[in-house]
Amino acid sequence: MEDSASTRSFIRAILEGVREGALAGCTVQEATSGFDAMRLLPRGPYDLVLTDINMPDINGLEVIQFVRKSPHHKDTPLVIISTQTSERDIARALALGATAYLRKPFVPEELVATLERVLAPKGGAAPHG
Amino acid sequence: MAERRDDAPDKAREEFFSEASELVDGFGRHLLALEESVENGHGPDPETLNDIFRGVHTLKGLSGLFGAATLSGLSHELENLLDDLRLGRIPLSTAVLDLLFDAVELYGRILSALKGEEAEPREEVLTLLASLAAVSNERSGNVAFIAEYELDPETLGVLTEYEEHRLRSNLQAGLALYRLKAKFPLATIDSALEELKLRVRPVGEIITYLPTGDGGDLDAIDLEILVASRSAAAELRQAVDSDAVSVDEVKKRDLSQARTPPAPRVGERTDDSAMDLPDGRETPSPPPVEDDEPAHASMHPAPHATEAVVMPAAAGGRDISLRSVSQTVRVDIRKLDRLMNALGELSLVRGALLRYAEKLRSEPGTRRLGMDLLGVHRAFERQLAQMQSGILEVRMVPLGQVFDKLARIVRQVSREQNKSVHFVVTGGETEIDKLIVEELSDPLLHMIRNAIDHGIEPIPERAAAGKPDTGTVALNAYQQGNHVVIEVEDDGRGIDPHAVLHKAVTMGLVSMEEAKSFSLEEAVSLVFMQGFSTRDTATAMSGRGIGMDIVKTRIAKLGGLVDIVSEVQIGTKITLTLPVTLAIVGVLTFVVEATVYCMPLSSMEEAVVFDSALVREVDGREVMTHRGVTLPVVRLARLFSEPPAPQRATKQFLIVARVGTRRLGMVVDRLIEQQDVVIKALGRTLAHVRGFAGATDLGDQRVALILDVPSLIEECLTAAEGRRANDASLAFRFGERS
């Protein structure tokens, strides 16, 4: 989830363009806010959750806590995207159970590599991010 | 960045763990010493506090480098607290000591977790972060700090830094805190929330929205909303105007029930958040910890013993800590050098491989084979490059390691001299070869000391000059291409060039005639001359210069350059320009008088065809106008050979070299190619030869000398050219022969 439309479509374009590896053929669902995510999350299995930290209303840390408390998603890999600004927020996110983080700005390869890495231990299942 | 931790070479990881463990161990030891001094009724030893601070600061830099975010985040908060402690902004109470001991214990566990030996102690880290923030907030002298309110660590744990800041500001401004609770149907939550926001905004600020519940309800969501407001609860309720939303004030805790240090009791509390706390604030009160045992267990014993107590299985815990000691090995930089040399040999193999491949490809019968071999060569080249950058990365360390040490010196020296000095450091994260860092600390220390000793004036003198009482010494570092630039700048009295000249003449370092030919800038640079000292006349001539020649020699040995700019009454700036690494350089190979030489690419601007018609003579030096700027020119053939080679008719080339702001054009006979080479030292017998940084093996059994551009520029451009000419030609003759 990510409140910036351009970032969302950037990420979508990258992920849908992956042709090989764990991310090939993945389906991307966008959430525009924390609430939006909370609407989506309980409804389906997701192989991976990608979230920003600084968002209006519900922030990314709250999303992580929500995701981790939910029985569906307590083990779902959760990657946060954050700007350089707050080491403390990143530390908290990891403490709350985020799997990995990616700093903005990032290049497509970094995104793909990070996501592939967090998906790796789970084996082959096709992800729906 | 995220992958960095995993991709970092194993060696680097080991070094990271070993250094981190050392720092944590040191932290633990220092804490014990602190505790003892506090228990004995002495105040905390500032030196020890500062050591802890620096240790944590280094740990922060280190963990940032290795992408160990939890470690880095914890260090960040700790650093703030320690900074407050060492600057006396908050007192060192037993409660704070407890927190610090907790931190040591957690550091150990996080490090184990990073090694994959145990799960990361998430909750404990969150609790500690919240407590640290609570103590730090208290420093600002404001009564209202977050931990005083009935907010559980779980709630505090999900606030972003900004939200926490808003919460704190509001509480400090005396606003009351309310908790709004409601269940929102997911389908309409956006509009419902918009409406709620509109209603709340006129009377308060929404800090955050906290979803509660476990997401089991698919249609609705329980939400807690934290609101800061000046209004009373009743007014807020009225503004919200909805039965579905409950409004409660978040009250201050009853401190007598919390796990507080033996602080003076503050008496009966009201719920008025703006109430002033007389003495209670002296002692921070961490949020109550449900489970007291581990926290207490970590209070007194040494860190390692603590680990054993806190680990789930005591025996297992002990195993882990023993193992962690034996698994971490610090790598001797010389071993890296040997690896680097081996890598150099491999580069030679690569060069040979390429030549054979090209040869095979150029012949019709083996064309196919040649192409295949080229493919193999490319793969080899890629891996080699990766290995090279891997080893180089291990050698790189942030300059902050040295800078931290300097901060302590500044405090010490300024206190000794009763001067008020503000020390500003930027660019501590700039990375440089570890060997360089180790060589840098003495020269930097010298420069900083000089800046305070001789640069910064005593307070009355500053006041008389219309300057602020507190002088500033700034230390800035940044990377510029393949160089790292370090500046030491002060706003002190500056160096008087006339006084320097006078001194140099009376010391017999320069003649009267020479002295007259110096520009003011050149005169200031005389402080770097060997034997120049202003010790006895420091005050009279407002100078510095004690041992500045040593600084210059040390920096030159590292392939660096020292520049000085000073203005009387305004201040002095000394700039060091250093190579990023000592091990490998990209060079341009060229020929002078049938001998091959290398010029580091990092110190050259461009190479062009040389047009001797453009050269003219000024003050006995050859110069030419190049790209609109006057460029001094030196014919390497003349420098290197004796007697000078006859003027050549064939085409020659001009290499424009630059170090810092100084440029020099060098005329050579022929350019060959660019390549990466491993620098090898000239060996002890040739170590004194100036003008060459080392030698390298070019891959076809040929050895070539690598020009030491900074010293060449120095030699050729130095003002006292005539005086040094003998030295220089001697050096170059030597170089030519070897």
Side-chain angles (χ1 to χ4, degrees), chain A residues 35 38-39 42-43 57 59 61-62 65 69-71 86-89 91-92 94-95 97 101 113-114 117, chain B residues 2 6 69 72 122 154 156-161 163-164 186 189-190 193 197 208-211 214 218 221:
Chain A
F35 293 123
M38 279 167 200
R39 264 194 287 264
R43 275 160 218 277
D57 299 344
N59 70 46
L61 300 179
E62 288 156 355
Q65 190 170 63
K69 274 186 180 172
S70 128
S86 185
E87 263 175 49
R88 165 208 172 279
D89 286 351
R92 292 233 168 146
L94 292 175
Y101 70 94
T114 307
R117 187 167 53 80
Chain B
D6 298 333
S72 145
R122 275 180 199 159
E154 194 168 84
L156 292 174
V158 295
L159 295 183
T160 63
E161 194 165 17
E163 288 167 347
E164 197 175 284
L186 272 174
I189 188 168
D190 292 323
L193 216 61
K197 279 190 212 170
T208 191
Y209 305 81
L210 300 143
D214 60 4
L218 287 183
I221 179 168

Side-chain angles (χ1 to χ4, degrees), chain B residues 520-536:
Chain B
L520 292 182
E521 283 156 31
E522 285 169 333
V524 170
S525 318
L526 288 178
V527 297
F528 291 121
M529 271 181 78
Q530 201 178 348
F532 187 92
S533 165
T534 63
R535 194 181 318 230
D536 47 340

Side-chain angles (χ1 to χ4, degrees), chain B residues 261-281:
Chain B
R265 272 290 140 73
V266 205
E268 284 301 304
R269 283 293 173 84
T270 69
D271 288 324
D272 180 359
S273 52
M275 192 193 86
D276 203 22
L277 288 185
D279 294 312
R281 92 176 68 129

Side-chain angles (χ1 to χ4, degrees), chain B residues 91-374:
Chain B
L92 181 69
S93 61
T94 38
V96 173
L97 262 175
D98 284 357
L99 285 182
L100 294 176
F101 275 114
D102 286 351
V104 173
E105 188 251 325
L106 271 181
Y107 267 140
R109 291 180 59 190
I110 297 171
L111 283 176
S112 300
L114 282 173
K115 291 181 201 157
E117 288 163 355
E118 62 170 298
E120 196 163 80
R122 275 180 199 159
E123 268 146 50
E124 290 89 336
V125 171
L126 277 182
T127 309
L128 185 63
L129 283 176
S131 315
L132 290 175
V135 176
S136 286
N137 294 340
E138 187 199 24
R139 127 182 87 100
S140 46
N142 283 292
V143 189
F145 56 93
I146 299 170
E148 264 188 24
Y149 288 80
E150 285 180 338
L151 291 166
D152 52 286
E154 194 168 84
T155 304
L156 292 174
V158 295
L159 295 183
T160 63
E161 194 165 17
Y162 175 73
E163 288 167 347
E164 197 175 284
H165 164 72
R166 291 307 310 152
L167 175 59
R168 189 162 56 234
S169 308
N170 277 311
L171 294 181
Q172 284 172 350
L175 274 67
L177 187 62
Y178 296 97
R179 188 187 277 121
L180 276 52
K181 277 189 186 170
K183 196 182 210 42
F184 292 92
L186 272 174
T188 58
I189 188 168
D190 292 323
S191 55
L193 216 61
E194 275 314 309
E195 195 185 327
L196 185 62
K197 279 190 212 170
L198 282 177
R199 288 168 188 275
V200 171
R201 243 174 230 149
V203 288
E205 175 179 338
I206 297 180
I207 306 288
T208 191
Y209 305 81
L210 300 143
T212 53
D214 60 4
D217 188 340
L218 287 183
D219 304 315
I221 179 168
D222 290 307
L223 216 55
E224 251 184 59
I225 304 171
L226 284 183
V227 176
S229 170
R230 290 199 187 279
S231 310
E235 284 172 62
L236 188 60
R237 258 182 223 115
Q238 201 180 350
V240 168
D241 191 26
S242 163
D243 291 340
V245 181
S246 72
V247 177
D248 294 294
E249 180 166 1
V250 180
K251 302 197 168 161
K252 282 195 179 178
R253 294 174 194 284
D254 180 356
L255 285 192
S256 59
Q257 307 234 318
R259 186 177 76 113
T260 42
R265 272 290 140 73
V266 205
E268 284 301 304
R269 283 293 173 84
T270 69
D271 288 324
D272 180 359
S273 52
M275 192 193 86
D276 203 22
L277 288 185
D279 294 312
R281 92 176 68 129
E282 290 286 311
T283 337
S285 56
V289 181
E290 300 286 303
D291 174 10
D292 261 2
E293 288 308 313
H296 280 307
S298 66
M299 272 171 60
H300 300 289
H304 276 300
T306 310
E307 255 174 56
V309 175
V310 179
M311 297 274 174
R318 205 166 294 124
D319 273 348
I320 287 167
S321 59
L322 280 180
R323 196 147 31 90
S324 67
V325 170
S326 60
Q327 267 176 354
T328 51
V329 182
R330 305 208 70 170
V331 185
D332 185 333
I333 190 98
R334 277 166 302 196
K335 288 185 182 162
L336 285 178
D337 279 346
R338 282 204 283 279
L339 269 184
M340 213 61 193
N341 272 331
L343 208 62
E345 304 300 325
L346 278 180
S347 313
L348 302 185
V349 174
R350 183 198 65 78
L353 201 60
L354 179 63
R355 277 196 306 281
Y356 288 129
E358 296 282 7
K359 198 169 171 192
L360 286 174
R361 199 179 57 164
S362 65
E363 282 164 30
T366 52
R367 200 178 158 70
R368 184 69 214 229
L369 191 62
M371 296 293 281
D372 290 348
L373 194 53
L374 269 183

